[in-house]
Amino acid sequence: MFVLATKSRRMIMRKVFFYILTVLLLYACGSNDQGELVGVRSKTKWHSLKPLGMTLVPGGSFTIGSQDEDITGSMATPSRTVTVRSFYMDETEITNAEYKEFVHWVRDSIVRTELALMSELMSDDGTTVLEPYQFKDSDTANMTPYQKYMMDSYGSLGDVNAPLQGRSLDWTEELIWDFDDFPDEYYAEVMDSMYTFVEGSYGGRKTLDVKKLRYRYPWYDVGKQKNQKRPVTVKDTVFSIYPDTAVWLRDFNYSYNDPMHQDYFSHQAYQDYPVLGISWDQARAFCHWRTKRKNDYLATKKRKTTVPDFRLPTEAEWEYAARGGLENPTYPWGGPYTSNDRGCFLANFKPQRGDYALDGALYTVEAKSYNPNDYGLYNMAGNVSEWTDTEYVAESYRMGATLNPSVRDGKNRKKVIRGGSWKDVAYFLRVSTRDYEYADSTRSYIGFRTVQDVLGTVKK
């Protein structure tokens, strides 16, 4: 009897101990804050992770502009000290293979949408057509009250402009592209709508109608937003996203560049070369898609967080990154010369008038060529010029802000390009040389790379 009473007393003491411990833990965690200010804490932890293929450019101050002779006398690059924040930047220009992933996603999403819409029809014998490509069923049974409200009110789960009316595509079923393997005439009808007419075929083969590859994305009109106190101005734009391969013919009159026109974007030999024939608007569309692609992946993993937007670098960010942390360099590699002590050229450009091949490359080279600068960035001089997010104003270096300077009013269609290209002389390779092109222009010597803001502390 005494033994049982002792055991009972021990059990009671253990329960009291665990109760006191639980109260102390809850108090320490702030659930019983006794009216003190403890702050609002997010339940989701945030760590700034370096995206694949990007490198960290640590923020800091530097002397922007030219510190040597103004050869052109333009007075467009007076030197002064400015500061930029930390950001991640692509190690290389966006390649054909990377941009082609964007093109294929747009193409496949259009095809899958058309197949899903066609599957809502019934065949003559009353059976469902294209059943494997139907929309995913909306799981109304497991919807939250908010999701049910959105479906009843807007016909979609949050996106009031969704053309699929709240339904989602099934990406598990593979698409068939070989004409001889089409499963039925309904599938053939949908696929036929994606190709050019027979009379527009080349070499007896029907080709994809690239004009149908259009991407819709929203964006902030910063020019209007900064002049308003409260409303956020959002615009919705649709762009054709296929590269303009005709730039190889249009940029050089009386020149035989047919092979580059026919093969540069489509042939696997050029998959690691920088994508060209991309307008400023198309580059921004790619940035939006890349952000969407990452956030969609995080959503599938049930992670209640999103990444900062991928975007084009500002002109100041681009110049800061090109300098690689060096003090007053002429070129990204530091020295005042375009070749090393062994006579090897340090970038892809036009060394002499009419001699494009003296540096070992007639046109572009692979994106990861030559030595990177001290930030690990390749071809910040030469190969292809690069779009920035900044609008070109000749006086901006003199009149702009000293903190994260960039000109964006939404009306100026002149966009700054930097770095020089395979067809430029050495002057355009300088880290301080400015140039511009119109936003809707496409060239055989302009590409781009993206950046992403760093939030919080960087985990190295």
Side-chain angles (χ1 to χ4, degrees):
M1 197 68 182
F2 177 79
V3 174
L4 291 176
T6 303
K7 288 184 178 180
S8 178
R9 192 178 297 111
R10 287 177 181 174
M11 291 294 293
I12 293 173
M13 292 299 294
R14 285 179 182 175
K15 289 182 179 179
V16 171
F17 173 79
F18 282 118
Y19 174 78
I20 295 174
L21 181 62
T22 302
V23 170
L24 290 174
L25 287 173
L26 289 174
Y27 177 79
C29 293
S31 62
N32 184 15
D33 53 38
Q34 297 185 355
E36 301 294 340
L37 183 67
V38 297
V40 177
R41 301 288 179 178
S42 173
K43 296 180 180 179
T44 305
K45 292 185 178 181
W46 169 258
H47 298 291
S48 184
L49 299 177
K50 181 174 72 69
L52 181 66
M54 300 187 105
T55 186
L56 174 66
V57 179
S61 61
F62 73 108
T63 303
I64 199 172
S66 178
Q67 286 86 52
D68 52 16
E69 181 183 3
D70 187 1
I71 298 175
T72 62
S74 63
M75 301 297 291
T77 56
S79 61
R80 63 191 181 115
T81 301
V82 301
T83 303
V84 298
R85 60 182 293 169
S86 299
F87 55 94
Y88 296 113
M89 188 177 224
D90 288 323
E91 295 176 352
T92 70
E93 304 107 344
I94 295 299
T95 64
N96 283 324
E98 291 169 332
Y99 194 84
K100 196 174 292 184
E101 186 176 348
F102 175 38
V103 172
H104 284 185
W105 184 91
V106 173
R107 178 200 66 184
D108 292 357
S109 63
I110 294 173
V111 170
R112 290 182 184 279
T113 301
E114 294 299 321
L115 287 171
L117 292 173
M118 177 70 78
S119 71
E120 295 183 339
L121 301 177
M122 301 294 289
S123 63
D124 295 337
D125 59 2
T127 59
T128 303
V129 302
L130 299 173
E131 187 171 358
Y133 301 97
Q134 289 182 320
F135 289 112
K136 282 185 177 179
D137 292 331
S138 297
D139 190 5
T140 55
N142 294 320
M143 283 186 180
T144 64
Y146 171 75
Q147 289 174 331
K148 291 180 180 179
Y149 166 79
M150 293 298 291
M151 284 296 295
D152 293 339
S153 302
Y154 301 104
S156 71
L157 299 177
D159 183 2
V160 296
N161 296 312
L164 305 181
Q165 295 298 308
R167 297 166 295 181
S168 58
L169 298 174
D170 186 353
W171 287 78
T172 59
E173 190 71 22
E174 290 189 11
L175 295 176
I176 302 170
W177 294 99
D178 192 329
F179 295 161
D180 296 330
D181 294 334
F182 288 170
D184 54 42
E185 66 275 15
Y186 300 101
Y187 191 97
E189 181 180 345
V190 170
M191 296 303 289
D192 184 62
S193 67
M194 296 295 297
Y195 287 82
T196 57
F197 295 112
V198 175
E199 52 269 23
S201 62
Y202 175 77
R205 295 179 302 171
K206 296 185 66 176
T207 56
L208 191 70
D209 187 356
V210 296
K211 294 180 181 179
K212 294 182 179 292
L213 304 182
R214 299 171 66 82
Y215 181 77
R216 179 188 299 273
Y217 75 97
W219 55 281
Y220 292 112
D221 189 342
V222 179
K224 290 185 178 181
Q225 183 180 341
K226 68 181 182 181
N227 295 324
Q228 299 180 12
K229 293 182 179 179
R230 199 162 57 89
V232 176
T233 305
V234 179
K235 291 189 175 181
D236 193 47
T237 311
V238 180
F239 284 113
S240 176
I241 53 91
Y242 198 83
D244 181 5
T245 58
V247 292
W248 293 101
L249 307 178
R250 190 169 56 248
D251 287 345
F252 303 95
N253 292 327
Y254 310 110
S255 177
Y256 176 72
N257 290 311
D258 296 33
M260 302 300 285
H261 163 56
Q262 296 169 9
D263 299 324
Y264 185 77
F265 183 67
S266 59
H267 200 282
Q268 63 266 33
Y270 297 103
Q271 63 184 4
D272 294 323
Y273 285 61
V275 66
L276 295 170
I278 301 297
S279 69
W280 182 83
D281 296 310
Q282 289 174 318
R284 293 227 308 168
F286 175 89
C287 292
H288 181 272
W289 168 80
R290 186 176 183 182
T291 306
K292 169 182 166 55
R293 185 180 189 278
K294 183 64 177 181
N295 287 333
D296 286 350
Y297 168 78
L298 294 176
T300 61
K301 299 300 180 180
K302 306 299 183 183
R303 299 179 186 176
K304 296 182 179 181
T305 185
T306 57
V307 297
D309 291 347
F310 291 94
R311 57 180 176 83
L312 295 176
T314 66
E315 182 180 18
E317 288 172 337
W318 193 98
E319 184 171 330
Y320 178 74
R323 292 173 180 270
L326 301 178
E327 195 71 29
N328 301 331
T330 303
Y331 300 104
W333 48 86
Y337 306 108
T338 56
S339 58
N340 59 21
D341 56 359
R342 296 185 300 276
C344 298
F345 286 102
L346 300 171
N348 177 23
F349 66 111
K350 184 172 66 175
Q352 294 181 7
R353 183 180 179 88
D355 193 343
Y356 293 86
L358 185 61
D359 60 352
L362 181 58
Y363 298 103
T364 57
V365 293
E366 291 181 334
K368 190 171 282 189
S369 298
Y370 301 98
N371 293 324
N373 71 359
D374 287 354
Y375 284 150
L377 303 169
Y378 291 84
N379 289 310
M380 293 298 282
N383 209 26
V384 297
S385 298
E386 299 175 12
W387 289 113
T388 72
D389 197 42
T390 302
E391 296 165 8
Y392 181 83
V393 177
E395 301 82 15
S396 62
Y397 266 39
R398 185 180 297 106
M399 302 173 61
T402 56
L403 178 62
N404 288 326
S406 184
V407 178
R408 293 191 302 163
D409 64 19
K411 298 178 182 178
N412 188 353
R413 296 295 284 173
K414 292 180 180 178
K415 308 300 180 181
V416 175
I417 58 173
R418 299 297 296 264
S421 72
W422 60 272
K423 64 89 184 173
D424 289 319
V425 296
Y427 168 75
F428 290 97
L429 273 61
R430 297 181 174 216
V431 293
S432 60
T433 299
R434 308 178 70 202
D435 202 357
Y436 72 88
E437 188 56 83
Y438 287 93
D440 57 354
S441 298
T442 53
R443 300 294 183 189
S444 60
Y445 47 84
I446 300 179
F448 70 101
R449 71 179 79 206
T450 68
V451 298
Q452 185 189 67
D453 291 320
V454 173
L455 305 182
T457 303
V458 179
K459 302 293 184 181
K460 295 183 178 180

